[in-house]
Amino acid sequence: AQTVTQSQPEMSVQEAETVTLSCTYDTSESDYYLFWYKQPPSRQMILVIRQEAYKQQNATENRFSVNFQKAAKSFSLKISDSQLGDAAMYFCAYRAYWQGGKLIFGQGTELSVKP
Amino acid sequence: DTAVSQTPKYLVTQMGNDKSIKCEQNLGHDTMYWYKQDSKKFLKIMFSYNNKELIINETVPNRFSPKSPDKAHLNLHINSLELGDSAVYFCASSQDREGRETQYFGPGTRLLVL
């Protein structure tokens, strides 16, 4: 069975600094997708970034980038120039290529941003 | 315009009651999903439908029954509510059946069973 593990229940970062959130996963599939979703206090789930496993290049979206290490099954999220609005719960998620869209989530990391 | 909407946003009810949560998407997507987020914020898929056809049915008690009148709507009906059903329920949608496209989530419905 596929699993996703986020080993940091809470993280804290100073405004304008950089923070990295960790995620590891376990799968025997070779084709899959990985995601980071953000859930602010409003509860809305917002897609932050997406990575296809077949792509070697790490995905980036403005201040958000990932470090995808396929052999190590690691998928960390780096947030640069942290802003107060980045404070939220962050979920790492996995989806196999042929499993009909089933997203498997990690436990989440609560990120706080200090002014 | 809201892409994926859910009603109601909050639902407080007594044990043993039957309740429904409605979901609608105006994105023209073919696939819709229900996820449950428990008190520890853990998210898990419950069901998915593609164009009114059930695709994913996780190990969910049969008190939970999804109903899809058309591809833009996926409602969740829960019979004989139990305390453990208290959670936030999220609806989501994506363009394709295989789920390769990004899933867009609704705002969630917080259900509290007393």
Side-chain angles (χ1 to χ4, degrees):
Chain A
Q2 296 107 355
T3 58
V4 178
T5 302
Q6 293 177 248
S7 58
Q8 306 153 316
E10 297 174 347
M11 291 283 284
S12 181
V13 64
Q14 205 71 33
E15 197 176 4
E17 297 295 309
T18 295
V19 65
T20 299
L21 308 184
S22 301
C23 173
T24 59
Y25 58 96
D26 189 24
T27 183
S28 57
E29 303 284 335
S30 56
D31 294 322
Y32 52 87
Y33 302 89
L34 294 163
F35 306 84
W36 279 97
Y37 277 89
K38 170 185 177 181
Q39 186 178 40
S42 66
R43 234 179 28 220
Q44 180 72 52
M45 294 289 289
I46 302 163
L47 178 68
V48 175
I49 202 163
R50 159 191 169 128
Q51 174 84 41
E52 287 86 351
Y54 66 86
K55 290 186 178 178
Q56 292 186 342
Q57 188 171 5
N58 289 324
T60 62
E61 285 289 340
N62 301 314
R63 298 182 295 107
F64 299 87
S65 62
V66 297
N67 184 2
F68 172 48
Q69 302 288 330
K70 191 172 184 179
K73 296 180 182 171
S74 168
F75 183 62
S76 60
L77 174 70
K78 185 171 87 171
I79 306 174
S80 304
D81 185 26
S82 297
Q83 300 175 359
L84 295 177
D86 294 334
M89 180 74 95
Y90 285 82
F91 291 97
C92 179
Y94 161 97
R95 191 174 77 212
Y97 207 68
W98 301 108
Q99 289 186 358
K102 174 181 172 180
L103 275 171
I104 299 171
F105 287 91
Q107 305 91 323
T109 297
E110 183 83 54
L111 178 67
S112 59
V113 181
K114 297 178 181 175
Chain B
D1 288 342
T2 304
V4 183
S5 59
Q6 294 179 228
T7 53
K9 284 201 169 78
Y10 299 94
L11 187 52
V12 182
T13 188
Q14 299 288 329
M15 263 175 43
N17 284 350
D18 302 340
K19 289 293 179 186
S20 290
I21 304 172
K22 295 185 176 182
C23 178
E24 176 181 3
Q25 54 93 5
N26 63 7
L27 297 166
H29 287 170
D30 287 338
T31 307
M32 297 183 72
Y33 311 81
W34 278 109
Y35 288 85
K36 178 181 179 180
Q37 186 173 41
D38 64 21
S39 58
K40 295 183 180 177
K41 299 213 171 179
F42 185 65
L43 274 151
K44 188 173 180 187
I45 193 165
M46 300 173 71
F47 303 102
S48 79
Y49 266 77
N50 175 261
N51 209 4
K52 303 200 299 177
E53 176 191 355
L54 181 65
I55 303 298
I56 294 174
N57 185 353
E58 288 290 292
T59 51
V60 176
N62 56 16
R63 297 183 295 104
F64 290 79
S65 53
K67 289 180 171 50
S68 182
D70 55 61
K71 75 172 193 175
H73 297 83
L74 181 62
N75 304 323
L76 184 65
H77 189 76
I78 315 170
N79 288 329
S80 304
L81 277 154
E82 300 177 357
L83 294 177
D85 297 333
S86 295
V88 179
Y89 293 85
F90 285 95
C91 178
S93 73
S94 66
Q95 176 61 51
D96 62 324
R97 176 192 176 102
E98 291 79 18
R100 295 185 200 128
E101 299 302 317
T102 297
Q103 290 181 27
Y104 294 89
F105 283 76
T109 295
R110 183 178 291 279
L111 171 65
L112 178 60
V113 182
L114 302 174

